Amino acid sequence: MKNHLEDNTGVPAPLSSRREFIRAAAASGGAAMLSAGLVPISVDASADKAAQTVLPTATEDVTPFEVHVPQAALDDLKKRLANARWPDKEPVTDWSQGVPLAKAQALVEYWRTHYDWRRVESSLNRLPQFRTQIDGLGIHFIHVRSKHESALPIILTHGWPGSVLEFLQVIGPLVDPTAHGGKADEAFDVVIPSLPGFGFSDKPTERGWRLPRIANAWAVLMQRLGYSRYVAQGGDLGAGVSSWMAKQRPSGLAAIHLNLPILFPPPPLPPGGYTAAEQAALAQLGKYASDASGYASIQATRPQTLGYGLADSPVGQAMWIYEKFQGWSDNKGDPAEAISVDHMLDGITLYWLTDTAASSARLYYESFGKDFVRMPLELPVAVSIFKGDFFNPPKMWGDRTYSRLFYWNEAPKGGHFAALEQPKLFVAELRKSFRQVR
């Protein structure tokens, strides 16, 4: 029996957004802290309440910032981990119902007994970090200038469940290529902001912080930093922000680079039906819709309800993200094959310490169905596909969506968290692609 995903040729009809695909699949049976300068942090601690870390108020001035998480917050985390209440063991032998109990307990035990947050804190504080207010919201960002005068400014945007921590391994090679096997004319000035509601940026207290508004804020940030010509890069929600920047075409933006570009079958349906490459990509989208999109549906509809559980339980917060490391990275079953346990816990701990489960999920509520869509662009676009990602769109979709697609490459390894999984490959892709627009 045909459904509304098919036309009379028996092949799926064109789709314009990921949410549209999820809805259609469901209908057809698919299961579809801190201190800045000398400003002290504010800590609220009691016997019944974890130490709360409060960000200093941001102004339009670009103010130096350092991370100093209160020890009380780290002690509280370990106490909660020690007192975790566990569900019963899953009745399957794989990850098909979520994180297996044994994997969860092993990760939490390592987190409680061996993991060192201060290591991450020190890494961040060795970098120039800042906060500045844009459109009424305090935005945190890393900003590292290259010693090379020809450096091309680039703004890198993370997604969910990511953070600025994903890019720590690529900053050095991008900024100082001659020390990392590159050439001086491949240097970048690097700007890495935390999305609103993520990490050390402020949490929006009003509706409206959608991807287009963030894109505009990033353009303001680059202008504020004095850049008259720059490029942008992003994957996941970061690809959405970068795409909206290209759509808005702010003064100075020369080109964008995307991993996991927002591409869906462009209309109209080809007379001969979809090619084998297109059918493979549609099958990946179908699997995502039927077996892996529950998190998105929850975050896009009930982020506040989700937030109560994740804000109260570090184990819950950890597994909400750990599952994505397993499902979206380039591994054969164990996420540690692609990303070290410490690096996974770095991101998880950042979400926990900043209490950003709900505020980060709200970006899905704001933008997932409205702004994270196929978007024809006229600005120069480069694309790198990392084959281990959960979705590998074919180049023909890029050709029909981006009128000035000047670079397309499929990296043989690496997944959704490309800069974290394969930092050398990620850097190489940025060097090769942006070489054409310098």
Side-chain angles (χ1 to χ4, degrees):
M1 178 184 298
K2 289 183 174 64
N3 57 57
H4 69 282
L5 281 179
E6 300 181 2
D7 64 6
N8 57 14
T9 67
V11 296
L15 302 164
S16 62
S17 74
R18 190 157 66 174
R19 172 174 267 187
E20 181 180 337
F21 189 93
I22 294 168
R23 285 175 171 169
S28 62
M33 228 171 331
L34 323 175
S35 65
L38 300 177
V39 180
I41 57 176
S42 173
V43 180
D44 179 8
S46 69
D48 301 318
K49 191 174 184 180
Q52 301 293 313
T53 312
V54 180
L55 292 166
T57 300
T59 68
E60 291 188 3
D61 294 333
V62 175
T63 306
F65 174 85
E66 288 191 347
V67 180
H68 298 293
V69 171
Q71 185 60 40
L74 300 178
D75 294 342
D76 173 76
L77 170 59
K78 288 196 173 185
K79 180 180 177 181
R80 288 170 181 258
L81 294 175
N83 293 329
R85 187 175 75 162
W86 299 98
D88 56 305
K89 186 181 184 301
E90 67 284 350
V92 294
T93 58
D94 55 21
W95 289 66
S96 61
Q97 292 192 7
V99 181
L101 179 62
K103 287 287 189 181
Q105 291 177 327
L107 183 74
V108 167
E109 180 63 13
Y110 181 87
W111 197 9
R112 185 181 70 86
T113 60
H114 290 87
Y115 177 75
D116 180 16
W117 166 259
R118 298 300 185 196
R119 168 187 54 82
V120 188
E121 199 171 271
S122 296
S123 296
L124 282 170
N125 290 339
R126 284 195 292 270
L127 297 168
Q129 297 178 87
F130 305 88
R131 273 173 49 89
T132 187
Q133 186 185 100
I134 302 174
D135 197 7
L137 205 68
I139 299 297
H140 162 262
F141 63 98
I142 296 168
H143 182 204
V144 186
R145 294 184 186 272
S146 174
K147 66 182 179 181
H148 299 291
E149 293 184 2
S150 62
L152 176 65
I154 185 171
I155 183 165
L156 305 170
T157 307
H158 64 85
W160 183 93
S163 70
V164 298
L165 299 180
E166 285 183 40
F167 298 110
L168 293 188
Q169 298 176 86
V170 304
I171 294 174
L174 290 174
V175 172
D176 189 7
T178 56
H180 296 85
K183 302 175 182 177
D185 60 5
E186 296 174 322
F188 293 87
D189 280 359
V190 174
V191 179
I192 312 174
S194 295
L195 288 167
F198 290 70
F200 307 124
S201 285
D202 287 356
K203 302 171 184 178
T205 58
E206 62 180 7
R207 292 290 310 276
W209 272 99
R210 296 165 46 185
L211 296 183
R213 187 172 178 180
I214 297 170
N216 182 70
W218 278 195
V220 171
L221 175 60
M222 296 304 279
Q223 182 181 44
R224 189 169 294 177
L225 296 177
Y227 293 125
S228 59
R229 187 176 187 275
Y230 61 94
V231 294
Q233 195 284 329
D236 191 79
L237 290 173
V241 173
S242 299
S243 295
W244 272 102
M245 291 182 75
K247 186 73 171 179
Q248 295 168 351
R249 304 192 71 165
S251 175
L253 181 62
I256 65 170
H257 175 278
L258 308 172
N259 58 289
L260 192 67
I262 311 168
L263 291 173
F264 301 96
L269 181 71
Y274 291 120
T275 66
E278 289 178 295
Q279 290 175 15
L282 287 168
Q284 289 179 321
L285 283 174
K287 186 176 188 303
Y288 172 85
S290 66
D291 190 53
S293 63
Y295 80 97
S297 296
I298 293 172
Q299 294 194 156
T301 57
R302 298 294 185 272
Q304 187 67 21
T305 302
L306 172 69
Y308 294 112
L310 302 191
D312 188 58
S313 168
V315 173
Q317 174 68 92
M319 299 313 139
W320 193 247
I321 295 176
Y322 186 42
E323 183 196 55
K324 298 300 170 278
F325 282 134
Q326 192 274 338
W328 295 353
S329 66
D330 189 9
N331 69 82
K332 297 179 180 180
D334 183 353
E337 297 168 359
I339 306 168
S340 74
V341 173
D342 277 312
H343 282 155
M344 286 188 280
L345 285 173
D346 290 345
I348 289 167
T349 306
L350 178 61
Y351 275 79
W352 172 257
L353 293 174
T354 54
D355 189 14
T356 48
S359 57
S360 61
R362 287 191 195 107
L363 185 50
Y364 277 71
Y365 187 91
E366 292 284 351
S367 276
F368 191 69
K370 297 185 283 285
D371 308 318
F372 201 76
V373 296
R374 175 181 175 270
M375 190 182 308
L377 298 175
E378 297 180 0
L379 198 80
V381 177
V383 171
S384 296
I385 301 296
F386 288 82
K387 297 293 285 184
D389 210 336
F390 67 81
F391 176 48
N392 299 150
K395 183 175 183 292
M396 63 183 67
W397 292 357
D399 288 330
R400 294 172 62 190
T401 305
Y402 307 134
S403 63
R404 299 175 67 185
L405 180 66
F406 68 92
Y407 179 88
W408 182 285
N409 188 46
E410 297 182 1
K413 55 185 176 179
H416 192 75
F417 309 94
L420 191 58
E421 297 177 55
Q422 296 293 333
K424 290 183 179 180
L425 270 179
F426 183 81
V427 169
E429 287 298 296
L430 295 193
R431 287 176 178 173
K432 286 187 292 184
S433 59
F434 286 129
R435 184 178 299 145
Q436 302 181 44
V437 298
R438 286 181 179 270

